Amino acid sequence: MPAAKAVKAAKPARVPASPAAAESWPDAAGRFGRYGGRYVPETLVPALDQLLEAYLKLRTDKAFQKELGDLLRDYVGRPTPLTKAVTLSSRFQRRIWLKREDLCHTGAHKINNALGQALLAKRLGKKRIIAETGAGQHGVATATACALLGLKCRVYMGTEDMRRQLPNVFRMKLLGTEVVGVQSGTKTLKDAVNEALRDWVSNVEDTHYIIGSALGPHPYPMMVRDFQRVIGEEAKAQVLKNEGHLPHAIVACVGGGSNAIGIFHPFLDDKEVKLIGVEAGGRGERLGEHAARFAGGTPGVFQGMYTWVLQNDDGQVTGTHSVSAGLDYAGIGPEHCLLRDSKRVEYLRCSDQHALRGVRMLAETEGIIPALESAHAIGVLHEVVKRTPKDGIIIINVSGRGDKDVAEIARIEGFAL
Ligand SMILES: *Cc1c(COP(=O)(O)O)cnc(C)c1O
């Protein structure tokens, strides 16, 4: 067991001003080692520079931090609890804790970032917001933040995703957001990102683009990470209070990588804490059957950044598959690439099958139906257990709740709703 560390309990619900690890990456060019950077049309560079400059000021601006902190507490419901998984703990002979992002308003961690960026946009004097969405979770979070703050909002969504996620399309409309279907390419998330970037290029004067994960051109990966760091700061204070020890391992699913980097980041300097990211293993090993970028991809330029991408030998981005729409993406946030290369984080894969089993296991043992995305972090628990001592402490990030997935799971299991 690592000695209990006297870590000053971080105040929940605030963006960190300047903790050591957050200061080291990215560099001034937005690079995490060789990854990240900015690969965008010339017309976007001034907007990204303006955003970076504003963000660096607001990061340490007391009034901004207070406004955001108050909203996270009173509107989102932070701090989210750290719940002991009593039955799972005795089954696996580990002390298992769940970080409950499923209890955030709108049902997942995405609201932390959407609110942060919407507030930032207001400070920049931008009255129009655009966003991309895949499953619709980031679209709903952004539509919610815009309704709250009185901003005009348009969300781009592939028409194939709209068909699969109709309830979320209607939710966004109820919240007063315009949803625009994207017909190009595979009619899914990457096509929606392309369309949002195109909109931004032509409307950059009055428009802010809220990217939904820790990816895209600099400063997005850094900024989104900082807005999601609240998860890890709270978890650290909570586990120290409850156990008097740092955890032995933290597990989180990795789509673009925002919930994972959010919970990992405050622990990066605590070398004794194993950090485990879980990618979507889908239904097979072949390209196109999964969304495991580190297992099946190679480095390349994709949607504004240099990162690991699922692509063929000609550099064409390939299709992906995952039972969870939120993990079904060909690229990954650049900071994760650095953390993989340096071996600070280990990345595992969880198949569709194991994720579905993960949903059942958490539902039956703890009475919590997790999102299919989060279930990937639960589905590899048997692997995590091998990497931790008996009675060791494990934190699983439950990034979202499963309400949105119930119909899909019922369909897969042949249960007609
Ligand atoms: C969107 C989403 C994810 C994946 O996104 P990250 O940026 O990797 O966190 C994971 N879980 C839930 C519940 C989501 O909605």
Side-chain angles (χ1 to χ4, degrees), residues 107-110 135 137-138 212-215 224 228 253-261 293 325-327 336 371-374 397-401 404-405:
H109 66 291
K110 291 212 170 68
Q137 293 300 105
H138 173 57
S213 188
L215 37 79
V224 177
Q228 294 293 2
C253 66
V254 185
S258 69
N259 86 89
I261 200 71
R293 290 66 44 106
L327 302 184
H336 285 287
L372 274 168
E373 290 83 4
S374 324
N397 199 22
V398 183
S399 55
R401 67 177 87 126
K404 70 185 176 61
D405 296 320

Side-chain angles (χ1 to χ4, degrees), residues 153-343:
C153 181
R154 170 187 274 192
V155 171
Y156 289 96
M157 188 170 189
T159 47
E160 177 57 22
D161 287 334
M162 284 174 82
R163 187 188 61 73
R164 292 189 287 194
Q165 308 285 340
L166 264 186
N168 273 343
V169 175
F170 190 63
R171 251 174 224 130
M172 287 184 265
K173 292 189 177 185
L174 275 181
L175 291 159
T177 279
E178 179 194 4
V179 182
V180 175
V182 177
Q183 293 275 7
S184 55
T186 51
K187 307 179 174 65
T188 58
L189 179 58
K190 79 170 165 44
D191 311 294
V193 173
N194 287 336
E195 208 51 44
L197 281 168
R198 217 163 284 147
D199 179 319
W200 204 28
V201 169
S202 13
N203 299 294
V204 72
E205 288 300 313
D206 72 336
T207 299
H208 174 66
Y209 176 18
I210 301 189
I211 292 184
S213 188
L215 37 79
H218 182 56
Y220 283 102
M222 166 181 79
M223 195 170 70
V224 177
R225 171 198 75 197
D226 290 351
F227 286 134
Q228 294 293 2
R229 261 187 64 112
V230 65
I231 307 172
E233 293 196 336
E234 287 176 9
K236 193 173 205 173
Q238 289 165 324
V239 74
L240 287 172
K241 180 162 170 282
N242 288 322
E243 293 277 11
H245 282 280
L246 289 172
H248 293 80
I250 301 176
V251 198
C253 66
V254 185
S258 69
N259 86 89
I261 200 71
I263 194 165
F264 291 166
H265 207 259
F267 293 91
L268 285 182
D269 293 335
D270 302 308
K271 291 289 177 332
E272 66 272 40
V273 181
K274 283 200 169 67
L275 303 173
I276 299 169
V278 188
E279 296 186 279
R283 59 184 165 221
E285 306 261 316
R286 285 211 312 269
L287 218 49
E289 294 191 331
H290 60 81
R293 290 66 44 106
F294 288 143
T298 41
V301 171
F302 181 58
Q303 300 196 315
M305 61 189 162
Y306 183 71
T307 190
W308 281 63
V309 193
L310 290 166
Q311 54 188 337
N312 66 20
D313 294 340
D314 300 330
Q316 286 289 337
V317 175
T318 54
T320 49
H321 164 79
S322 169
V323 67
S324 72
L327 302 184
D328 202 353
Y329 184 65
I332 186 169
E335 190 161 10
H336 285 287
C337 302
L338 175 65
L339 293 171
R340 171 199 174 271
D341 285 3
S342 67
K343 299 195 164 62

Side-chain angles (χ1 to χ4, degrees), residues 12 35 50 62 69 114 116 130 145 158 185 187 192 212 273 277 280 333-334 353 361 363 402 416:
Y35 304 105
Q50 184 201 30
K62 286 218 176 70
I130 56 170
K187 307 179 174 65
V273 181
Q353 278 295 328
M361 184 163 75

